[in-house]
Amino acid sequence: MKPARRPGAHMDAESAAWLSRLGAEGTEGWAAERELHAKLVRLALAEVRRRVASTPVPV
């Protein structure tokens, strides 16, 4: 699968590298997918913890 548009000058280097790795075939692409999934899970859990701290619990 190819990205809808190629990384360009308007994109920061880290984002361009992610897109390049995610678009790679074989083990490099799979590794990038696993890393991105793990990163998204960590961010989601951090957001849940942040929201729980400010959510009143009815007693």
Side-chain angles (χ1 to χ4, degrees), residues 14-58:
E14 183 180 6
S15 297
W18 269 109
L19 283 180
S20 177
R21 289 186 63 216
L22 288 168
E25 294 189 20
T27 56
E28 185 178 355
W30 297 333
E33 288 175 14
R34 284 192 306 273
E35 289 173 31
L36 181 57
H37 179 264
K39 187 176 282 222
L40 291 172
V41 168
R42 282 192 306 274
L43 289 168
L45 290 174
E47 182 65 13
V48 167
R49 285 190 295 272
R50 184 186 73 80
R51 290 182 184 209
V52 164
S54 65
T55 304
V57 178

